[in-house]
Amino acid sequence: MPAHNPSESDSPYFDTPAAMPVDGVWSTAEAAPAAAGARGLIAAASSCSALLVALEGRPAHVKGEAFELVVAAYLKTAPCYQNLTGVWRFADIPADIAARLQFGRRDNGIDILCQAADGKLWAVQCKYKSRTDKPVGMRELSTFTQLAALSGRAIDTCVVAHTSEKPINKLHEATNGGAGDSAIHVVELGWSVWHEMPAEQWAAIQSVCAGSKPKELDPRAPRPHQVRAVEAAVRHFARGDRGKVIMPCGTGKSLVGVWVANGIDAQSCIVVLPSLLLVGQTLADWTREAVALGIPTEFMVVCSDKTVAKGAQRELAESAAEVGIPVESDPAIIAQWMAMPTAMRKVMLTTYQSGATVSTAAKMAGGFAFDFGLFDEAHKTAGPDGKSFSTLLKDENLTVRRRMFMTA
């Protein structure tokens, strides 16, 4: 079957494979044992982290097969990818899509292809690194740099999944400037995705790899202090349009925000955060609960590297790639998302620094208004008028019918 070449022969940090594919295709004698061995290792591992440990010392093609199986199963089951309607390993790509993309027998660096609900395609490369202290180099992603040329053939997003502890060097340069500045989005799934994976997510991956249906997620149950906070907020917003929730760190403020949005039946929500790290963490909470509760939801993450100093743009672009889903910064695209009629709930996650971008987009969308706004670490909005952290506080910049400010 056509399969990727899992070797990293151009890197001194990868084990030399025991056997190499011919013309990018593993022989049946090599492929079948690799698949069987990989699935067995996945089934026996107590966690994703334990699997990666168990793979050490295994033949290169078994490592590559196991990691690719895990990545494909992750994209099929992780709540933040609920909008993907198709996830195919290279050999299983539907013939009509392969023909449209002019794919031949060789994968040319594309190990997995995904299709989103809007028809856009994501190309995925899987890079298993034995030396996790060494980043994936651009030489190892030589074909990835060519994927931008496929954007005219419907490739919208490039995903690089790897096992290195370090982010990919100069990843933003692979697509002419990074998230928001080119026709193609970039997503990076690195070390923390696999080593900090929740047990329920690993169980879902094991189920998919075993050919069975994953267990459905159960909604999280609020603790007593969260119940009190949610009930008080819902009562308040029955008559008020602004309120604040003050809770200590680590007491579940993010989930309180989800439950308040549900309690007031908000059909459009904006969650504003001070960092991309918090955007990623909050996205995980909101997407999980949307799936568990069966609430059809369209998510968008907005981050603009034009809001920071030029010297910091590279770091921000690379961080944006690690959010986990494509990030937007073009007001026209954001406005189109806002204005698109849908029966689904709309949830936007953004940074305070991107307030001007969101404001511009809302005006382009004809004065789009959010039902509910959640402002995390709200103490950071204090200060002189005109600072970027205060842009979204005013209806003149963005109409939000109810604003909830959260802080410790």
Side-chain angles (χ1 to χ4, degrees):
M1 67 175 182
H4 76 303
N5 179 348
S7 72
E8 299 184 31
S9 56
D10 57 347
S11 170
Y13 309 118
F14 192 75
D15 301 324
T16 302
M20 293 293 292
V22 178
D23 193 31
V25 181
W26 290 100
S27 69
T28 302
E30 294 165 331
R39 292 181 191 277
L41 290 167
I42 292 169
S46 60
S47 66
C48 190
S49 183
L51 170 69
L52 296 180
V53 171
L55 287 175
E56 290 305 313
R58 304 282 176 172
H61 57 285
V62 173
K63 294 177 182 178
E65 176 74 11
F67 187 54
E68 193 172 309
L69 283 168
V70 167
V71 173
Y74 178 69
L75 292 169
K76 290 177 180 179
T77 58
C80 62
Y81 302 114
Q82 60 179 298
N83 70 316
L84 295 181
T85 57
V87 177
W88 307 284
R89 297 182 68 193
F90 186 79
D92 302 319
I93 295 173
D96 59 329
I97 296 178
R100 175 155 55 100
L101 294 173
Q102 300 178 26
F103 286 168
R105 290 183 72 242
R106 300 190 58 160
D107 59 26
N108 293 317
I110 299 176
D111 301 313
I112 299 167
L113 193 73
C114 309
Q115 186 169 44
D118 59 7
K120 293 178 180 177
L121 300 175
W122 298 16
V124 185
Q125 286 191 329
C126 303
K127 294 293 181 182
Y128 179 92
K129 297 287 290 184
S130 290
R131 285 287 302 273
T132 60
D133 59 331
K134 298 294 182 180
V136 175
M138 288 308 298
R139 282 194 307 160
E140 299 169 62
L141 299 175
S142 58
T143 37
F144 181 82
T145 61
Q146 300 169 15
L147 291 178
L150 294 175
S151 60
R153 287 182 264 157
I155 293 290
D156 174 78
T157 299
C158 291
V159 181
V160 181
H162 64 82
T163 57
S164 173
E165 298 173 30
K166 299 180 181 295
I168 299 172
N169 287 332
K170 301 180 180 179
L171 177 59
H172 68 296
E173 294 180 1
T175 53
N176 303 320
D181 286 339
S182 74
I184 201 162
H185 299 90
V186 182
V187 172
E188 180 177 358
L189 303 176
W191 188 91
S192 62
V193 172
W194 319 116
H195 288 273
E196 298 173 8
M197 181 178 290
E200 64 183 12
Q201 178 59 61
W202 177 241
I205 288 173
Q206 287 180 306
S207 295
V208 169
C209 290
S212 59
K213 184 179 179 180
K215 178 181 179 294
E216 292 186 0
L217 293 174
D218 293 322
R220 291 189 177 108
R223 298 174 180 175
H225 69 279
Q226 293 171 315
V227 171
R228 292 192 296 271
V230 172
E231 290 178 346
V234 171
R235 285 196 304 270
H236 172 78
F237 284 118
R239 62 186 187 279
D241 59 3
R242 291 183 181 237
K244 59 185 176 182
V245 174
I246 302 174
M247 297 172 62
C249 295
T251 55
K253 289 193 295 295
S254 294
L255 285 172
V256 166
V258 175
W259 293 322
V260 172
N262 295 342
I264 64 175
D265 195 26
Q267 292 305 300
S268 58
C269 309
I270 181 168
V271 184
V272 191
L273 303 121
S275 71
L276 283 165
L277 176 63
L278 286 175
V279 168
Q281 293 172 352
T282 305
L283 176 68
D285 282 332
W286 279 73
T287 55
R288 187 204 179 278
E289 292 311 296
V291 170
L293 291 167
I295 302 175
T297 308
E298 292 181 351
F299 288 89
M300 173 171 277
V301 174
V302 173
C303 167
S304 175
D305 60 11
K306 294 179 176 63
T307 61
V308 297
K310 186 174 181 179
Q313 288 179 8
R314 175 175 300 179
E315 179 181 354
L316 182 56
E318 292 173 343
S319 297
E322 296 179 77
V323 167
I325 67 172
V327 170
E328 295 292 353
S329 66
D330 184 341
I333 295 175
I334 300 166
Q336 184 180 32
W337 178 85
M338 290 174 168
M340 184 70 68
T342 179
M344 301 172 71
R345 169 186 275 179
K346 291 179 184 281
V347 175
M348 175 180 290
L349 295 97
T350 187
T351 57
Y352 285 104
Q353 298 94 324
S354 302
T357 300
V358 174
S359 174
T360 299
K363 292 171 183 176
M364 292 172 64
F368 181 84
F370 284 98
D371 289 337
F372 181 58
L374 194 157
F375 297 78
D376 198 16
E377 297 201 22
H379 57 279
K380 295 181 180 292
T381 64
D385 191 26
K387 62 182 288 188
S388 62
F389 274 50
S390 66
T391 300
L392 299 181
L393 305 186
K394 303 176 182 178
D395 276 342
E396 65 190 65
N397 296 325
L398 180 70
T399 301
V400 181
R401 297 185 179 94
R402 285 160 289 192
R403 288 178 169 86
M404 187 168 82
F405 300 90
M406 305 187 74
T407 189

